[in-house]
Amino acid sequence: SCGACTAVCPRAGTHNMGVRKVLIRIQRAQQLGMEPADCLMCNKCALVCPRNLNTRMVWFFLELLDSQK
């Protein structure tokens, strides 16, 4: 929950969201606020994550789940 991922995310400013908020909303089973397709898959968030979260895989699985609806 440090927010380093949001600081480097190119989509965070345009969607008023960010990876950190999305991950928190996933944990709380809330609406994401961003669609998986909104992610550019640039991997900047994973590179700066102090916990080494593979955020790219989070987006990949969210997109996979979204396509199965």
Side-chain angles (χ1 to χ4, degrees):
S1 65
C2 69
C5 53
T6 301
V8 297
C9 179
R11 292 291 200 174
T14 59
H15 289 83
N16 196 22
M17 262 321 256
V19 181
R20 180 180 153 271
K21 287 183 181 178
V22 170
L23 292 174
I24 289 170
R25 288 180 178 209
I26 289 170
Q27 290 173 341
R28 295 178 182 169
Q30 297 174 333
Q31 292 288 342
L32 297 182
M34 281 178 76
E35 294 297 320
D38 291 335
C39 179
L40 297 175
M41 294 293 188
C42 65
N43 208 35
K44 290 179 181 179
C45 52
L47 292 174
V48 299
C49 181
R51 291 189 167 197
N52 295 320
L53 293 177
N54 191 342
T55 49
R56 181 184 258 174
M57 289 306 293
V58 171
W59 286 117
F60 174 76
F61 285 119
L62 286 173
E63 192 167 341
L64 186 65
L65 288 172
D66 194 46
S67 69
Q68 292 178 354
K69 287 182 182 178

